[in-house]
Amino acid sequence: MSQTVNAVVVKEKNGPAVLEQIIVPDPGVGEVVVDVLTCGVCQTDQHYQQGEVGDNFPYLLGHEATGRVSLIGEGVTSVKVGDTVILNWRAVCGECRACRKGQPQYCFDTHNAEQKMTLTDGTELEAALGIGAFAEKTLVAAGQCTVVQDLPAESNAAVGLLGCGIMAGIGAAINTGEVKRGESVAVIGVGGVGTAAVLGAKLAGATTIIAVDLDERKLAKAAELGATHTVNPGEADVVERIRELTGGFGADLVIDAVGRPETYRQAFYARDLAGRVVLVGVPDPSHTLELPLADVFGRGGSLKSSWYGDCLPSRDFPMLVSHYRSGNLDLDAFVTERVALDQVQEAFETMNRGEVLRSVVELQSPTTN
């Protein structure tokens, strides 16, 4: 039987994120119902609200989540009722051309639940990134669940952030950027994703890690989590300063976690000859980029975009959780505040003021879940 639960929905472009009752159907073939424990407040959810992802309103927001499997559909063997899981939006299909080439981290046909959750009047909801986890329960494809074992309940809020932004940043450094021991890395823009890229560079063994941002609070946090140097573009030329900090040559890898033409040009010229640029910041669709083609050729190296940190959740989530358990990966530092389900709109506003790395919605008390 279907279940009626509370969830955060946006009904029209730039409309408020409001608490509504929704209907979650029983899982069908290959689907599961998850009782949501925590869900991070990510910029992507606000992009849905603002109509920048599409116009399939109403949207059920939320995607950066942990939960507990409460129901499983026919044919599901990868999870069982009672499993604690991190939700992800890359449930690899195994059949598309990327998967057939042995590159499932680029899967072009990731699985979502076939059924739709609805408002109580029957209006179908489009779940953000196929997840929709600002809800007491959500329906997802079984492949969107990565099991986490023997993790204290109080860690759910931090570990759930691997579901999107933190994985995007760490993966931009480790997977896409392929940081090697002893290399130099610069990260332009150290919000949640950029700061995670700093952590990724540190994990991979970079010895020079340069954080770039206009916000001194963010620079201080990046330094706390592994940046060896900080640069404020309001006080110094970014390209010149990065070159100064890397022997006059430029960084081996520069990660643009902002996604604007001006920051991408900084990344392009702040790298060493034959160095790498990784774009992980999501650009505005209206923005264009102009670079001299002779410089693209003459500087060599590689220019890459990072989709979800080029991650494979079944591979990367357990590895990063292991680092978290051992104290090598401070995910707790990203949880700036914990809020209730009816405070998502306020959390968007806090995020826009730059006051948090992440607000996290807690749907169940860590002492009881």
Side-chain angles (χ1 to χ4, degrees):
M1 296 177 60
S2 62
Q3 302 177 74
T4 302
V5 302
N6 293 314
V8 176
V9 173
V10 58
K11 293 184 176 181
E12 60 186 7
K13 183 177 180 178
N14 290 318
V18 295
L19 202 61
E20 296 275 349
Q21 286 198 319
I22 69 167
I23 306 298
V24 181
D26 274 358
V29 176
E31 296 175 342
V32 302
V33 171
V34 173
D35 294 344
V36 180
L37 301 174
T38 67
C39 187
V41 179
C42 177
Q43 187 81 53
T44 301
D45 291 303
Q46 193 169 46
H47 291 327
Y48 275 97
Q49 180 186 40
Q50 295 167 343
E52 295 175 3
V53 178
D55 60 358
N56 296 323
F57 293 93
Y59 285 112
L60 171 58
L61 301 182
H63 60 279
E64 204 173 61
T66 59
R68 181 170 293 114
V69 176
S70 59
L71 294 170
I72 62 173
E74 182 183 343
V76 173
T77 59
S78 57
V79 296
K80 63 183 185 299
V81 171
D83 280 345
T84 299
V85 296
I86 304 172
L87 299 183
N88 73 80
W89 46 272
R90 179 169 284 153
V92 299
C93 72
E95 299 174 355
C96 71
R97 61 191 186 281
C99 289
R100 289 198 304 270
K101 290 190 293 184
Q103 297 177 319
Q105 71 273 22
Y106 298 132
C107 180
F108 301 141
D109 191 22
T110 60
H111 290 160
N112 294 324
E114 292 289 335
Q115 300 181 88
K116 294 286 188 180
M117 292 173 278
T118 68
L119 295 173
T120 53
D121 65 3
T123 302
E124 290 189 346
L125 292 163
E126 191 72 21
L129 293 173
I131 294 175
F134 286 148
E136 292 168 331
K137 295 176 181 286
T138 191
L139 177 76
V140 295
Q144 293 179 274
C145 299
T146 303
V147 176
V148 182
Q149 296 178 338
D150 303 322
L151 194 69
E154 59 269 21
S155 299
N156 288 331
V159 168
L161 301 182
L162 292 173
C164 185
I166 306 307
M167 184 68 254
I170 292 175
I174 293 178
N175 294 333
T176 318
E178 299 179 310
V179 177
K180 300 174 182 63
R181 290 188 299 275
E183 286 196 317
S184 57
V185 178
V187 181
I188 300 177
V190 285
V193 173
T195 302
V198 168
L199 272 179
K202 180 182 177 182
L203 272 178
T207 50
T208 300
I209 305 173
I210 305 163
V212 180
D213 205 287
L214 285 163
D215 191 326
E216 289 293 338
R217 296 169 299 178
K218 293 178 181 178
L219 291 175
K221 177 59 72 172
E224 178 185 324
L225 292 175
T228 58
H229 304 83
T230 62
V231 177
N232 188 321
E235 300 175 358
D237 181 277
V238 170
V239 174
E240 289 183 3
R241 185 63 180 137
I242 290 174
R243 288 179 177 172
E244 288 173 3
L245 294 169
T246 54
F249 301 114
D252 296 304
L253 169 66
V254 184
I255 297 171
D256 178 4
V258 178
R260 294 184 58 85
E262 55 269 34
T263 54
Y264 192 88
R265 281 192 292 270
Q266 289 171 339
F268 180 82
Y269 287 109
R271 66 187 174 124
D272 197 357
L273 292 175
R276 292 104 64 200
V277 172
V278 169
L279 174 64
V280 67
V282 180
D284 185 304
S286 66
H287 289 170
T288 60
L289 176 70
E290 184 173 330
L291 287 170
L293 194 57
D295 286 354
V296 174
F297 175 78
R299 297 189 64 80
S302 66
L303 310 176
K304 296 182 178 181
S305 297
S306 185
W307 305 340
Y308 200 6
D310 290 345
C311 81
L312 187 59
S314 61
R315 174 196 66 195
D316 293 341
F317 287 7
M319 178 267 291
L320 293 174
V321 168
S322 178
H323 278 297
Y324 171 64
R325 281 197 179 104
S326 66
N328 295 328
L329 182 62
D330 187 2
L331 297 178
D332 294 305
F334 287 83
V335 182
T336 310
E337 65 171 3
R338 299 165 189 255
V339 301
L341 187 59
D342 61 359
Q343 295 176 302
V344 169
Q345 184 61 50
E346 291 89 339
F348 283 156
E349 295 161 8
T350 304
M351 175 181 66
N352 291 336
R353 291 193 298 268
E355 296 174 1
V356 295
L357 282 179
R358 272 296 187 272
S359 301
V360 177
V361 174
E362 286 192 321
L363 289 98
Q364 298 184 40
S365 168
T367 60
T368 61
N369 64 27

